Amino acid sequence: VEAENAKLKEELTFFETLVPGGKDDRLTIHSLRVEPSGAAGEYKYRMLLFAGTGRRSPDFTGTLQLVLNVQNNDRSDVVITLPDVRTAPDPSYKLRFRRMQRFEGVFRVDPTAKLREVQVRVLETGATQPNASQSFTLSKGAAD
């Protein structure tokens, strides 16, 4: 209950900073968090995606992409992109919303590897460049 209460307070603080009737229609990522889920090599993430404040903002349709910076057991750095573009599209990374959407998920890395950083990219359908991106660096204790 306390964790949920803290999350709601965090979201309320964000909404209190919004200016009603603003004209900014760009996509933004807020409150990005990545943390171990408890299972070895498993991490959960959450964020708020905000598509603009204009009254006539169209629905945003696109995909979420995670870029993981991982250090292997042999100390070499590896970059992993989720969803894997070489496989079939993953519907759990699809986005469709009007103004705001909370997005949560879970991903796994090799339990012997150390997750260093997660970059979130949001791409509109048909776009080759992200409309928004944000990075989250894990603290040394959370990644070990």
Side-chain angles (χ1 to χ4, degrees):
V1 172
E2 288 180 17
E4 180 66 20
N5 197 16
K7 186 175 10 174
L8 290 172
K9 283 181 181 180
E10 181 180 323
E11 290 175 10
L12 177 62
T13 301
F14 163 71
F15 285 117
E16 287 174 341
T17 64
L18 296 178
V19 177
K23 303 267 191 249
D24 190 4
D25 285 336
R26 64 189 170 93
L27 182 78
T28 54
I29 301 168
H30 294 275
S31 305
L32 174 62
R33 298 285 180 257
V34 180
E35 54 195 23
S37 72
E42 186 175 89
Y43 293 84
K44 57 185 174 180
Y45 61 92
R46 74 173 192 262
M47 70 198 83
L48 284 173
L49 301 175
F50 190 69
T53 57
R55 282 189 160 174
R56 297 184 184 239
S57 297
D59 286 357
F60 178 86
T61 305
T63 54
L64 183 77
Q65 185 180 67
L66 302 177
V67 180
L68 314 177
N69 181 341
V70 179
Q71 186 179 56
N72 279 334
N73 211 12
D74 64 359
R75 300 278 189 219
S76 64
D77 287 337
V78 176
V79 176
I80 302 168
T81 303
L82 300 175
D84 189 342
V85 294
R86 299 170 292 174
T87 61
D90 187 339
S92 64
Y93 290 90
K94 295 289 183 194
L95 299 170
R96 184 177 179 93
F97 62 98
R98 175 144 310 206
R99 290 191 178 99
M100 189 250 347
Q101 179 174 343
R102 178 189 302 187
F103 199 84
E104 300 176 332
V106 175
F107 63 88
R108 291 171 186 78
V109 297
D110 181 342
T112 63
K114 293 180 181 173
L115 181 64
R116 297 291 185 200
E117 183 178 66
V118 176
Q119 182 184 49
V120 172
R121 298 176 181 168
V122 179
L123 293 97
E124 191 167 13
T125 300
T128 57
Q129 296 296 315
N131 295 61
S133 66
Q134 188 174 65
S135 295
F136 185 90
T137 303
L138 279 80
S139 66
K140 187 164 178 66
D144 289 343

